[in-house]
Amino acid sequence: MIGTEGMGLFSAFNSVTSLVGGIAGMGISNSGVRQIAEAVGSQDRKKISRTVLVLRRTSLFLGFIGMLSLLALSKPISLLTFGTAKYTSSLALLSVTILFAEISGGQSALIQGMRRIRELATLSILGAVTGTFVSLPIIYVFREKGIVPFLVIVSAFTIGTSWWYAKRIKIEAEAMPLVLAWSEARALLGMGAVFMANGLMVSAVAYLTRTMVIREINLDAAGLYQAAYALSGVYVGFVLSAMGADYYPRLTAVAEDNREINRLVNEQTEAALLMAVPGILATLTFAPLVIHLLYSSQFSPATSILRWQLLGILGRIITWPIGFVLLAKGAGRIFFLTELLTNLVHLSLLWFGMRWFGLDGLGMAFFYLYVFYAPLIFIVVRRECGFRWTAHNLRLGAGAIVATMLVFFITDGKLGNFWSFTCGGLITATAGFYAASKLSSRAGFSSLREFWNALAMRLKAKFI
């Protein structure tokens, strides 16, 4: 529907709004989860009411600040990003998505902090799917000119669904003196500053990467990179976000109990590996086919970038559960310094990777980032709470690494598509069967057959 240049434009617009929104949002969509979870844990209705009220008002205020900021700076940002003022009006129109995102983020933080996981998962999927379904015809008809309306419509549907679910949570209204409101907001923004700094660094790296590719090569190259980046994380991102919705509040609730923290991290590591690795192997095996089907043959050069990024995604899965520990413990300074060092290393890897290996170097940079980050975060968290992986998780992680590297080398193109698909498919199927067996066992089923029978009975009772 849109070519590589259109995908590059889409990527650049997203990077700009994420960066400006990250600065204006002050990280309260993340710190709000922590504040709400703590308030709920105290079982103090007045405290819950105050926290929710402050979160909503602060989200709205910061959303307006972000919208006005992008509106005012749209021309210089267009010049800096694209080297031309051609996209000034597009960026100005996109400013409204920052307001929508901040309000939606505050409402999602409320739902997650309350541990209403089903509602959170539903609104995330419903908003994105409905908005995309409604706005796709715009892209189809207007091509690149429809990208901005597409982004605005999707963000509008996201805020609509988050508002619908957030209003179902009944909170007692309570008058709040200005001094008390400021005290609550300061606590929210205090922890939020740590989240903001991290989010800002991630958004800045994303923005600089796209800008660097656009300015050094062209929009087509940025489109190829975006296609690979999006595909590498689409399945794993869904799995991790769904798991993290409940994991982070639970971890926060036991932040003072190191033994319980270690148990939860290991439990989450096992679940993440079992759920995500088969998806990584499948995407790695059928990468050329997936890119051709979801995009077009024009995006074929993105295959090599995607393969390297999938290796990095495995590192992300392994380190993802550990990274939450510092946040749950409120170790803001250590978290910030760790993330600052990591993002500086990432930016350096991106620069040298592109200089030496072209677009493939961007994918390589993502992989080597996690080669650096994994031992770093393990050492830091181990010093904080004495964390260590269980022997079972060490074996599981080693197996995942071996299987992923094996499929990576098998599918490098030297064997031809038939043997690459066959061998990679067999390894993927084996990993999938093992993961399904383990997950069904953890769910209390004695065998896979018992699990599928129970699932079939539930579906039959619901739809027949």
Side-chain angles (χ1 to χ4, degrees):
M1 295 194 308
I2 59 174
T4 52
E5 182 177 340
M7 184 62 74
L9 197 59
F10 178 87
S11 170
F13 284 153
N14 264 333
S15 297
V16 169
T17 54
S18 295
L19 183 59
V20 177
I23 297 171
M26 295 291 292
I28 65 163
S29 60
N30 290 304
S31 63
V33 175
R34 193 175 192 278
Q35 295 293 95
I36 295 289
E38 285 186 348
V40 171
S42 71
Q43 297 183 341
D44 183 339
R45 291 188 176 183
K46 288 187 177 181
K47 184 177 181 181
I48 295 172
S49 177
R50 291 196 301 266
T51 305
V52 171
L53 182 61
V54 169
L55 174 63
R56 284 174 168 165
R57 288 179 177 176
T58 308
S59 297
L60 181 61
F61 174 75
L62 294 177
F64 272 112
I65 295 296
M67 180 181 69
L68 295 174
S69 298
L70 182 53
L71 196 60
L73 298 172
S74 54
K75 184 174 182 178
I77 290 176
S78 178
L79 289 169
L80 179 64
T81 306
F82 303 101
T84 173
K86 177 182 176 182
Y87 300 102
T88 299
S89 58
S90 297
L91 291 170
L93 183 57
L94 282 172
S95 64
V96 72
T97 65
I98 295 178
L99 174 62
F100 291 165
E102 290 308 315
I103 296 174
S104 178
Q107 292 171 162
S108 298
L110 167 61
I111 297 169
Q112 185 177 351
M114 291 284 188
R115 295 187 65 185
R116 306 283 283 267
I117 307 307
R118 181 176 296 179
E119 288 91 337
L120 185 66
T122 304
L123 77 87
S124 299
I125 297 169
L126 189 61
V129 170
T130 308
T132 302
F133 179 76
V134 171
S135 53
L136 270 179
I138 297 174
I139 292 286
Y140 183 80
V141 173
F142 297 102
R143 306 289 174 172
E144 282 77 10
K145 292 181 179 179
I147 291 175
V148 172
F150 170 84
L151 292 171
V152 172
I153 291 172
V154 170
S155 65
F157 271 89
T158 301
I159 191 177
T161 50
S162 65
W163 172 81
W164 172 259
Y165 282 101
K167 77 168 188 172
R168 297 168 66 179
I169 300 176
K170 303 301 180 183
I171 303 294
E172 295 181 9
E174 182 183 337
M176 188 184 304
L178 185 60
V179 175
L180 184 57
W182 170 243
S183 176
E184 290 282 343
R186 191 167 55 183
L188 185 67
L189 294 171
M191 190 62 191
V194 176
F195 287 103
M196 182 201 70
N198 178 53
L200 182 58
M201 286 187 288
V202 172
S203 297
V205 170
Y207 172 73
L208 290 171
T209 303
R210 271 69 172 184
T211 302
M212 184 168 61
V213 174
I214 292 170
R215 301 295 290 271
E216 293 289 329
I217 309 177
N218 52 38
L219 269 173
D220 289 318
L224 292 172
Y225 175 70
Q226 175 62 23
Y229 184 83
L231 281 178
S232 67
V234 63
Y235 171 72
V236 171
F238 177 77
V239 170
L240 296 185
S241 62
M243 293 173 65
D246 184 56
Y247 172 57
Y248 179 40
R250 281 199 297 150
L251 201 64
T252 300
V254 297
E256 302 303 320
D257 187 342
N258 288 341
R259 180 173 293 182
E260 186 64 13
I261 282 178
N262 289 348
R263 186 190 69 79
L264 283 176
V265 173
N266 273 291
E267 179 184 277
Q268 207 71 20
T269 300
E270 180 188 22
L273 285 169
L274 291 174
M275 293 178 68
V277 169
I280 291 176
L281 296 177
T283 308
L284 196 55
T285 298
F286 302 105
L289 187 60
V290 170
I291 286 179
H292 183 76
L293 288 176
L294 294 182
Y295 296 104
S296 69
S297 57
Q298 187 181 4
F299 286 86
S300 295
T303 302
S304 182
I305 310 171
L306 173 61
R307 285 164 42 76
W308 280 101
Q309 285 182 324
L310 286 167
L311 294 183
I313 289 292
L314 178 61
R316 182 182 172 194
I317 293 166
I318 294 171
T319 58
W320 174 82
I322 310 175
F324 280 95
V325 174
L326 298 177
L327 296 175
K329 281 186 163 291
R333 183 182 177 189
I334 298 174
F335 176 77
F336 172 76
L337 292 174
T338 302
E339 293 300 310
L340 176 62
L341 177 60
T342 301
N343 281 285
L344 288 174
V345 169
H346 190 195
L347 201 56
S348 300
L349 289 170
L350 286 166
W351 175 257
F352 287 110
M354 192 178 75
R355 286 288 179 176
W356 293 342
F357 302 102
L359 277 176
D360 288 357
L362 299 177
M364 294 176 186
F366 189 71
F367 166 60
Y368 286 109
L369 167 67
Y370 281 96
V371 172
F372 166 81
Y373 179 70
L376 173 67
I377 193 64
F378 175 78
I379 293 169
V380 170
V381 172
R382 182 170 173 78
R383 290 186 62 182
E384 281 292 309
C385 65
F387 171 76
R388 64 176 60 197
W389 281 298
T390 61
H392 171 72
N393 276 344
L394 287 173
R395 291 193 297 271
L396 189 64
I401 292 170
V402 170
T404 304
M405 294 302 297
L406 185 59
V407 173
F408 178 82
F409 287 114
I410 286 175
T411 58
D412 64 357
K414 294 178 182 178
L415 294 178
N417 283 343
F418 175 78
W419 287 110
S420 294
F421 290 164
T422 301
C423 296
L426 286 173
I427 296 172
T428 300
T430 303
F433 182 82
Y434 175 80
S437 300
K438 287 294 181 181
L439 288 170
S440 63
S441 175
R442 295 292 183 271
F445 297 100
S446 58
S447 66
L448 261 180
R449 176 176 292 182
E450 184 181 333
F451 168 73
W452 289 119
N453 287 339
L455 181 61
M457 290 294 291
R458 179 170 293 184
L459 292 173
K460 184 178 179 180
K462 188 170 183 179
F463 295 108
I464 298 178

